[in-house]
Amino acid sequence: KPLRYAIVGLGYYAVNVILPQFANCRSSRVTGLVSGDPAKARRIAAQYGVPERSIYNYQNYDRIADNPDIDAVYVILPNSMHAEYTIRAAKAGKHVLCEKPMSNTAAEAEAMIAACKRAGKKLMIGYRIHFEPNNLNAIRLIREGAIGKLRFIDAEHGFVQGDPSKWRLKKALSGGGSLADMGIYSLQAARYLSGEEPNAVLARTSTDRTDPRFHEVEDLIQWTLAFPSGAVASCMSSYSSAHNHVRATGSSGWLDLDPATSYEGITLRRKTGDRTETVPAPAGPGKTMFAAQLDHLADCVASGREPIVSGEEGLRDMRIIEAIYRSAQTGRTVDL
Ligand code: NAD
């Protein structure tokens, strides 16, 4: 029995990236839409065979409770809306896949976890890279000792922001600047490649506050994570320069992902001794990382297992993100 999703929010990522991916899914279907724009919702509903009665807006959203054709929602709204639309879905008796970053604050993330637990519903965060074959291969190779003892991770993510009026540059809607949007990929990479939880963070930002794009949120932010094994990660994100690169260096070589997390073209290279080679991508857990992500929640609902990228996993990042901001503000190391 497939998992039937309502997509909440019909912006760029929902319409151009996620909706076309249902065609690649094994056990996920789209059967509902939630949008503030009725004309857009009708057009997209027609395209994906979603019936008129399963189109909702932000006011009547709670009525999905009475729709037996919807099992789960996928929240693809601005970050500040993730908590509210997750909690309302749980109250309506639906499972939730929620985009990254999970929320604006760790407190909101805790409330989301509690609401889904109370309702007996699954909560999963849209960390698609956990379903991406090259990143999974890098994790496996590091665990197998392919680069010896892991010593250093370098993780960079960013793109150049344009229009200052966009929600990503409004703190109330985004929760933060490049860190909330892109730095979370650097943080995730440091955590999944090391397989450890950091015990300290030291951060600094470089933001031109006279630039109209950065009146409310940070531009460039750089932070160092210390891990219990002694491994160190240097992470950054930027809204004024383009980056998409991760490297893990150990006592006997390195693994390099370039690009590391983009929608397409992710490439893994490996250096051992004097030799550098491109590592071919193994078969992934689905036709694409996006389809594998959608089907993972379907499998978890069917089997009763917890998603590998659970609400708790999202909360861990939210706590570290808050510590990174605190460190940048105070100039001091924050212990985790
Ligand atoms: P977007 O601006 O293209 O879409 C946001 C949607 O929310 C729009 O349809 C907009 O109309 C709607 N919306 C409702 N209330 C709004 C309000 N008050 N202000 C602004 N928009 C409002 O954004 P997006 O790039 O699709 O991002 C949506 C979410 O998806 C974000 O949380 C983002 O982090 C996440 N995302 C994830 C990935 C990924 O690779 N996992 C990629 C892109 C975006």
Side-chain angles (χ1 to χ4, degrees):
K1 187 169 154 276
L3 187 71
R4 297 161 306 169
Y5 282 92
I7 302 296
V8 189
L10 298 177
Y12 181 83
Y13 190 61
V15 172
N16 297 291
V17 183
I18 293 302
L19 277 164
Q21 288 293 331
F22 282 94
N24 291 323
C25 288
R26 203 175 11 83
S27 42
S28 308
R29 308 276 180 273
V30 54
T31 55
L33 299 175
V34 182
S35 170
D37 180 340
K40 191 205 275 177
R42 269 198 300 276
R43 178 170 53 75
I44 292 168
Q47 200 179 335
Y48 289 96
V50 172
E52 185 86 29
R53 64 168 190 282
S54 296
I55 300 176
Y56 296 85
N57 58 43
Y58 300 119
Q59 287 72 43
N60 67 17
Y61 171 63
D62 308 274
R63 283 199 227 139
I64 57 170
D66 307 321
N67 192 328
D69 301 330
I70 296 170
D71 306 309
V73 304
Y74 189 172
V75 179
I76 320 185
L77 290 165
N79 307 341
S80 66
M81 299 171 77
H82 292 180
E84 178 188 339
Y85 284 82
T86 293
I87 293 168
R88 284 169 71 183
K91 286 187 174 153
K94 308 299 176 184
H95 303 284
V96 180
L97 175 52
C98 176
E99 258 314 317
K100 48 55 65 177
M102 180 171 180
S103 51
N104 277 13
T105 65
E108 281 178 353
E110 285 166 2
M112 293 160 78
I113 292 168
C116 293
K117 212 161 261 167
R118 217 174 296 125
K121 296 291 150 186
K122 301 283 176 207
L123 173 56
M124 170 168 161
I125 309 304
Y127 287 139
R128 58 182 167 76
I129 300 304
H130 289 256
F131 305 93
E132 195 287 311
N134 293 284
N135 279 268
L136 292 175
N137 207 19
I139 296 170
R140 184 183 60 80
L141 286 166
I142 291 170
R143 298 293 182 279
E144 285 173 358
I147 57 170
K149 184 172 165 57
L150 177 67
R151 296 298 296 141
F152 190 74
I153 293 167
D154 186 344
E156 300 171 34
H157 285 88
F159 66 97
V160 180
Q161 279 287 1
D163 181 356
S165 71
K166 288 274 171 66
W167 70 260
R168 279 186 171 78
L169 300 172
K170 301 291 166 208
K171 181 133 198 299
L173 285 163
S174 60
S178 73
L179 173 56
D181 193 56
M182 296 302 287
I184 196 165
Y185 287 96
S186 295
L187 172 57
Q188 271 277 309
R191 291 182 54 241
Y192 60 69
L193 291 176
S194 67
E196 294 190 275
E197 294 305 323
N199 48 27
V201 56
L202 177 62
R204 73 167 66 225
T205 66
S206 171
T207 303
D208 175 2
R209 294 292 178 184
T210 67
D211 186 321
R213 296 172 297 173
F214 308 126
H215 285 173
E216 297 189 20
V217 299
E218 82 282 357
D219 168 17
L220 191 154
I221 183 161
Q222 190 280 333
W223 67 98
T224 305
L225 298 169
F227 291 100
S229 66
V232 169
S234 170
C235 303
M236 66 82 74
S237 58
S238 172
Y239 266 170
S240 58
S241 46
H243 308 253
N244 197 308
H245 175 236
V246 172
R247 179 176 289 197
T249 306
S251 52
S252 62
W254 51 248
L255 291 170
D256 187 276
L257 288 150
D258 194 350
T261 63
S262 36
Y263 296 156
E264 290 175 303
I266 296 176
T267 303
L268 176 64
R269 288 183 308 140
R270 171 184 181 169
K271 172 143 181 174
T272 19
D274 293 333
R275 234 175 106 230
T276 303
E277 58 183 345
T278 299
V279 186
K287 260 196 193 160
T288 64
M289 65 180 136
F290 309 98
Q293 171 184 267
L294 289 161
D295 282 340
H296 180 67
L297 182 58
D299 293 345
C300 288
V301 168
S303 67
R305 275 197 305 269
E306 262 308 282
I308 57 170
V309 279
S310 61
E312 281 78 5
E313 174 68 4
L315 172 60
R316 278 178 213 117
D317 285 335
M318 292 314 303
R319 290 195 172 130
I320 300 169
I321 284 173
E322 287 186 348
I324 292 168
Y325 282 134
R326 215 173 323 131
S327 174
Q329 211 166 39
T330 60
R332 295 224 173 89
T333 297
V334 174
D335 291 322
L336 294 160

